[in-house]
Amino acid sequence: VQAWTYSFFKLLASLYKQFMYVKVVTEKKERLDVSRFVIRTNSLDLINYSVRVRINEDLFVIISKLFIM
């Protein structure tokens, strides 16, 4: 939960393109199993990847998928 911050999501989003904002459900930490944030990109490719993140001594796999709204 310590990593569930605005700056953490901004860092993740920077892997793709420009970070726009964090969705309210994520910002309020109403769910800790799913996060949602909005990015701006010119790419037509689908975003579907995983990244490993170490938080303290624990390693987590974060899976990202694009949802077109």
Side-chain angles (χ1 to χ4, degrees):
V1 177
Q2 293 172 345
W4 211 253
T5 63
Y6 183 88
S7 59
F8 179 70
F9 295 119
K10 190 172 181 177
L11 176 66
L12 283 177
S14 71
L15 297 172
Y16 312 108
K17 282 293 180 176
Q18 182 182 357
F19 174 80
M20 299 298 290
Y21 60 90
V22 173
K23 300 290 266 183
V24 173
V25 172
T26 299
E27 192 171 38
K28 290 184 175 182
K29 299 180 184 175
E30 292 175 4
R31 291 188 63 179
L32 297 176
D33 59 328
V34 175
S35 68
R36 294 180 185 211
F37 52 87
V38 177
I39 64 169
R40 176 182 290 162
T41 181
N42 293 329
S43 175
L44 297 177
D45 295 332
L46 291 179
I47 296 172
N48 187 6
Y49 84 97
S50 63
V51 62
R52 287 178 287 206
V53 177
R54 184 173 303 279
I55 300 170
N56 298 326
E57 297 298 319
D58 298 316
L59 186 64
F60 298 90
V61 176
I62 298 175
I63 300 170
S64 298
K65 296 187 182 275
L66 173 70
F67 293 96
I68 299 173
M69 302 182 70

